[in-house]
Amino acid sequence: MAGGGAAPAPKADELVPHPVKDQLPNVSYCITSPPPWPEAILLGFQHYLVMLGTSVIIPTALVPQMGGGNDEKARVVQTLLFVAGINTLLQSFFGTRLPAVIGGSYTFVAPTISIILAGRYSDIVDPHRKFLRIMRGTQGALIVASTLQIIIGFSGLWRNVTRFLSPLSAVPLVSLAGFGLYELGFPAVAKCVEIGLPTIIILIVISQYLPHAIHAEKPVFDRFAVIFSVTIVWLYAYFLTIGGAYKHAPPKTQTHCRTDRSGLVGSAPWIRVPYPFQWGAPSFDAGEAFAMMAAAFVGLVESTGTFIAVSRYASATPLPPSVLSRGIGWQGIGILLDGLFGTASGSTVSVENAGLLALTRVGSRRVVQISAGFMIFFSILGKFGAVFASIPAPIFAALYCLFFAYVGSCGLSFLQFCNLNSFRTKFILGFSIFMGLSVPQYFKEYTAVASYGPVHTGARWFNDIINVIFSSEPFVAGLVAFFLDNTLHRHNNTIRKDRGYHWWDKFRSFKTDTRSEEFYSLPFNLNKFFPSV
């Protein structure tokens, strides 16, 4: 625009829609460009902090039910972190090569609880023996379930499925991979509002408002907002705890709010390296393995959605189906490692870390590899790791409110490739997102009241399979959208354009776009031996 005295520009320019972008602009560092080392190390530590939440919440929920005490809980958290570090490194070197953290997953909690409640453990009196027996049961189930992802991934089967994924069917899948986790957001913040709510407010002020108010040379506030806000609120929670604010509070409030209630610091060993079969030899049960396989399949679909979000926030081009399939195969190896080491839970792509990429605008692969280093380092030096792991859960939940939202909005951003004025688009989009929220809501509500799922036949493994599959928002939404998008008269050329399919044409095969090579090719000349098709 010219100076103040010039006439305003003609209105026609202002009515042009926003241009469509293959890669997300305004990302400070993309996959292949690492930030300077000091910054990269801090950012890596920030990723480690964010993934800690899930790594502590899952064992905290499961281990006491299995019969374990604080000692066992500390060891399971350490093992989970250790394996997560290895899996993240494997995924970023040999899998999709995206900056994706592979951490514990809530999808696997339901089948694990089903194993805990299995009749054959109920007669064991000694809690420690019961814990070990149940842990071996979960290990066996995970080892069998991992074969599902390994086969679907490495055989190229998933490549053939995701070739049919258009931007339109990716929208419900990716959106609900983020928004579908709404139960882990504010409901968990509200368990200790005086800690959770300030975290949300401080995080938003530091990351969104401060950078505009204070013009720093380098983007410090938005890039390290998590470290700032967690430190501030954690200190505040610590002062509340030692100041006796919770002396006479009910035990539940004390567990959520106090900084000294995790029981991890006291019971964590100083140095301990987790090793395979540390709990004894895994035991196998066909029904439980089937239930875990259902969870592995749901995890595979959810991870596909999160991988797509990660590739977007790392400013990479859309994932070629062959690379996605390779990543799923390596994730299967990750679940196999979960089973061998005994983490009590399988692993998927961490949604919260995908959201953190958006907050920091750093999609560098090196940063995530450094965070994997932190996971392994702090899992071996147990006492130091336990200090960070004792951050109250509502603080993590507050971070989730922002990060899950980022992943959800990434899903919505794929609507730029679709024609929103087509009734076909409106139907598929609306129906799949609605069902994706509505069906799991019924399954979860029913389970909360009756303490078993709506499918309640004599075969426990069958119940588990159906209940696990339909309790996942992204799975239901992705399934409905994928089915409708590929069956509703799709061969028509205008419809092909309506669903945005033509935008992703050049990424369907690895070779057709040169940028795929730059972002996704394997290191050490491995492409010769493992070609991407």
Side-chain angles (χ1 to χ4, degrees), residues 24 27-29 47 98-101 306 309-315 351-365 367-368 403 406:
L24 186 65
V27 172
S28 310
Y29 296 95
H47 271 282
L98 285 170
V101 172
T306 320
V310 170
S311 70
R312 186 84 187 151
Y313 280 140
S315 190
V351 181
E352 52 271 35
N353 290 81
L356 181 60
L357 295 177
L359 183 78
T360 57
R361 298 192 195 175
V362 176
S364 157
R365 191 186 290 141
V367 166
V368 167
F403 297 147
Y406 264 131

Side-chain angles (χ1 to χ4, degrees), residues 46 197-216 218-234 359-361 399 402-403 406:
Q46 203 166 233
L197 205 51
T199 313
I200 298 184
I201 295 165
I202 293 171
L203 184 63
I204 290 173
V205 168
I206 292 178
S207 66
Q208 310 298 326
Y209 289 96
L210 267 188
H212 295 291
I214 304 167
H215 294 290
K218 280 185 162 179
V220 178
F221 296 113
D222 40 355
R223 204 157 283 172
F224 303 109
V226 172
I227 292 182
F228 285 132
S229 47
V230 167
T231 314
I232 293 167
V233 180
W234 193 17
L359 183 78
T360 57
R361 298 192 195 175
L399 301 180
L402 205 62
F403 297 147
Y406 264 131

Side-chain angles (χ1 to χ4, degrees), residues 191-395:
K191 287 182 175 161
C192 186
V193 157
E194 61 268 34
I195 289 176
L197 205 51
T199 313
I200 298 184
I201 295 165
I202 293 171
L203 184 63
I204 290 173
V205 168
I206 292 178
S207 66
Q208 310 298 326
Y209 289 96
L210 267 188
H212 295 291
I214 304 167
H215 294 290
E217 301 238 325
K218 280 185 162 179
V220 178
F221 296 113
D222 40 355
R223 204 157 283 172
F224 303 109
V226 172
I227 292 182
F228 285 132
S229 47
V230 167
T231 314
I232 293 167
V233 180
W234 193 17
L235 269 172
Y236 155 69
Y238 175 70
F239 287 131
L240 281 182
T241 306
I242 55 172
Y246 301 115
K247 240 184 201 132
H248 308 297
K252 236 184 181 162
T253 313
Q254 295 209 16
T255 340
H256 292 301
C257 297
R258 289 180 74 108
T259 50
D260 56 3
R261 273 303 144 94
S262 66
L264 289 172
V265 183
S267 47
W270 279 103
I271 291 185
R272 182 176 168 277
V273 182
Y275 53 95
F277 308 122
Q278 51 186 350
W279 317 104
S283 62
F284 296 92
D285 174 275
E288 287 166 8
F290 277 124
M292 210 52 109
M293 269 187 168
F297 186 59
V298 170
L300 179 155
V301 174
E302 291 177 355
S303 293
T304 302
T306 320
F307 271 139
I308 294 172
V310 170
S311 70
R312 186 84 187 151
Y313 280 140
S315 190
T317 47
L319 269 164
S322 55
V323 175
L324 189 51
S325 204
R326 187 174 75 198
I328 293 295
W330 278 101
Q331 194 175 281
I333 291 178
I335 295 178
L336 177 64
L337 290 175
D338 286 331
L340 296 175
F341 280 82
T343 59
S345 142
S347 46
T348 54
V349 186
S350 155
V351 181
E352 52 271 35
N353 290 81
L356 181 60
L357 295 177
L359 183 78
T360 57
R361 298 192 195 175
V362 176
S364 157
R365 191 186 290 141
R366 182 179 293 167
V367 166
V368 167
Q369 287 163 346
I370 292 172
S371 83
F374 275 117
M375 293 171 214
I376 295 170
F377 177 76
F378 280 122
S379 66
I380 294 172
L381 293 173
K383 278 270 192 279
F384 296 104
V387 172
F388 295 113
S390 64
I391 297 173
I395 294 184

Side-chain angles (χ1 to χ4, degrees), residues 102-146:
I102 309 291
S105 162
Y106 293 102
T107 313
F108 293 86
V109 170
T112 309
I113 287 178
S114 173
I115 293 175
I116 292 172
L117 301 174
R120 64 176 191 280
Y121 303 117
S122 52
D123 51 350
I124 306 173
V125 185
D126 175 30
H128 182 68
R129 263 194 62 225
K130 184 176 181 178
F131 169 78
L132 288 178
R133 288 279 301 280
I134 293 177
M135 178 57 99
R136 291 174 203 163
T138 62
Q139 283 180 266
L142 280 169
I143 289 169
V144 177
S146 69

